[in-house]
Each structure stands twice: as structure tokens, then as C-alpha cells.
Amino acid sequence: MRLHLPADTEARRTVRHDLRTPVNSIIGYPELIEEECGPSVPESFRKGLRQVGKLGHRMLELTNTVFGEAPSPLRELPCAALQAECVAPADEALALTQTLIQQATEARLTQARLDLERTALAIQRWRQRLQELVAEYSEHGS
Amino acid sequence: MNRDMLSRRLMRRGYEVSLALDGAEGVARCTEETPDLVIMDLGLPVMDGWEATRRIKAAPATRHIPVIALTAHAMTGEEETARAAGCDDFETKPVELPRLLAKMEVLLKSTPPAP
């Protein structure tokens, strides 16, 4: 099974909107947390935030490539391989975010913890929507 | 979630931020508060951002207010549609803050004072 995207522009618009909206949080919250925490937090925590942001950019790139207007070799992959390729950065970002939530909790960084929980939710939302879309638009899907 | 994040980032940079939850509220707030600039999410409930922008730009009291469209609909033609509705500039989500700030500053400096 391979991905077969709808020719309908409106459907493609919706798909990209659904995936780009959570990415806004995945990239933006780590930047905001770093701004708000300033230099008082350990360098390892800041590095973790930047890494989540980088993975968010990777998720954006995948969104644009897989569901974009231009042809992409990624869309030629079997759906299972495509899904694995896309889900990997999300899983890495989620695991890292959960570690950061734990660190923020221990350091009593309440606002940072809340924002990281929002980041985790956005990652889960992106991941789930991506899986739904791959299932929906696989050649043998409904 | 996204609204909260962007407003906090702008407030940290010294902007006073007023939030509206939908397009109709946005139009009403523009009329009441005449802000210096509007960042208009296009995918809003009740009244979408295109219609809200058209109303802001149609009213003599608010037509001078610059509007930056903000959307996750990043497809060819989106910017043209937003500009046709009256938006002065266009930005896609995820927001690249330095680029958005630069666009805001250009519009804030070039906008004539309210009538």
C-alpha cells in the first residue's frame, strides 16, 4: 500500500492545516520556555528544549514533503515505511519532552512544566493525525 | 494553545496584547479599542478571519489598522486570497517570530495615524 493523496485542493489544504497547527506549538513552546526561564536553568535542560524544537522542524519538513504540492520520493514508500519515517521524530520528541517535564517538575518550574505538557499534547496530536491520514489515503484505504 | 503562546511571546517584547476568541469578537474589539495592528488567524470560529478582515477594512473607523494574516493553510494562492480580503501582510504557521516581528514593525512604522 502506498499513499494516494486526493487531487482535491481543499482536502489537501485541510490535511496540511491539521498537521501544521500542532507543529506551531511543538516549535514555539520550547522557544518560549527558553526565553522565560533564561539562564537560570541547567544547560542540559536548554539543550533538551532546542532538540525538541529541532524535531518539530523535522516534523514540519515531513508535513510539507509528504502532504505538499510538489512530487516527493517519500510518497513512493510503502505506507508502513512512510509511517515509520514520520513517526520516528515524533516519538523521539515525545520521549524527550516527557524527560523535560520530569526535570521541570523536580525544579518546580511550574509554567515550564505546563508548557511542556502542552508541547507533549501537540506532539501526540500530530502523530495521531498523521497516522489517521496515512491510513485514510493509503491506496487500499477507504 | 497557539494564541496563548504567541501572546506571551509578544508581551515579553513589550507589546500590549488584546485577544479575541473568534472573528466577530475581533471585529468588535477593533472597533472598541482601535489597536495599532491586528494579527488575524484566518481559521477562526463564528466568523472566519477573511470575513473579519473584510469588515475591519470596510469600516471607516478601523480601515487604517494594518492586518497581518496568520494561517496554517500554507498552500499556493493563500497569500493572494488573504490580501484580496484586505490583509496587509501574510505569515504562515508555525510562526517564525523574528520574521513576524519584522513584518509588524514595518507596518507599525508605515501606518498613517487614525482618522
Side-chain angles (χ1 to χ4, degrees), chain B residues 25-46:
Chain B
E25 192 186 331
V27 174
R29 285 205 175 214
C30 267
T31 309
E32 286 160 20
E33 300 174 13
T34 52
D36 296 320
L37 183 133
V38 171
I39 297 174
M40 181 70 76
D41 195 330
L42 295 176
L44 290 172
V46 184

Side-chain angles (χ1 to χ4, degrees), chain A residues 16-17 19-29 31 53 56-61 63-64, chain B residues 2 5-6 9 70-74 91-100:
Chain A
R16 280 164 65 93
H17 179 269
L19 292 172
R20 286 175 69 100
T21 299
V23 170
N24 194 38
S25 296
I26 300 163
I27 293 172
Y29 271 118
E31 287 177 0
H57 280 284
R58 174 71 185 136
M59 290 157 76
L60 174 65
E61 194 185 318
T63 300
N64 292 340
Chain B
N2 285 324
M5 181 179 62
L6 184 56
R9 298 189 83 184
L70 187 61
T71 181
H73 289 300
E91 188 62 31
T92 54
K93 291 182 202 170
V95 172
E96 203 179 295
L97 197 64
R99 195 172 60 200
L100 176 64

Side-chain angles (χ1 to χ4, degrees), chain A residues 28-53:
Chain A
Y29 271 118
E31 287 177 0
L32 173 62
I33 296 165
E34 196 175 354
E35 283 172 18
E36 289 187 344
C37 288
S40 62
V41 292
E43 181 56 26
S44 61
F45 188 76
R46 284 206 298 271
K47 271 174 86 173
L49 291 171
R50 283 178 216 144
Q51 184 58 22
V52 173

Side-chain angles (χ1 to χ4, degrees), chain A:
Chain A
M1 289 192 292
R2 289 175 202 281
L3 200 64
H4 183 77
L5 290 179
D8 173 18
T9 311
E10 191 54 37
R12 283 208 187 199
R13 263 182 98 227
T14 305
V15 164
R16 280 164 65 93
H17 179 269
D18 287 357
L19 292 172
R20 286 175 69 100
T21 299
V23 170
N24 194 38
S25 296
I26 300 163
I27 293 172
Y29 271 118
E31 287 177 0
L32 173 62
I33 296 165
E34 196 175 354
E35 283 172 18
E36 289 187 344
C37 288
S40 62
V41 292
E43 181 56 26
S44 61
F45 188 76
R46 284 206 298 271
K47 271 174 86 173
L49 291 171
R50 283 178 216 144
Q51 184 58 22
V52 173
K54 268 188 198 165
L55 291 163
H57 280 284
R58 174 71 185 136
M59 290 157 76
L60 174 65
E61 194 185 318
L62 285 166
T63 300
N64 292 340
T65 309
V66 177
F67 298 99
E69 294 164 285
S72 159
L74 267 179
R75 282 205 293 269
E76 300 306 314
L77 289 175
C79 281
L82 174 66
Q83 193 158 299
E85 177 83 19
C86 292
V87 162
D91 285 346
E92 191 183 340
L94 191 58
L96 185 50
T97 304
Q98 278 157 352
T99 305
L100 292 170
I101 290 171
Q102 200 177 336
Q103 289 175 8
T105 306
E106 284 162 10
R108 299 186 182 194
L109 299 168
T110 310
Q111 186 61 58
R113 179 179 56 77
L114 285 172
D115 291 338
L116 284 162
E117 284 169 355
R118 289 172 175 145
T119 310
L121 262 178
I123 297 167
Q124 285 164 335
R125 239 174 76 200
W126 185 90
R127 190 186 190 283
Q128 186 184 341
R129 190 70 187 117
L130 181 116
Q131 287 178 312
E132 287 168 359
L133 289 166
V134 171
E136 189 178 342
Y137 295 124
S138 62
E139 270 178 343
H140 301 292
S142 55

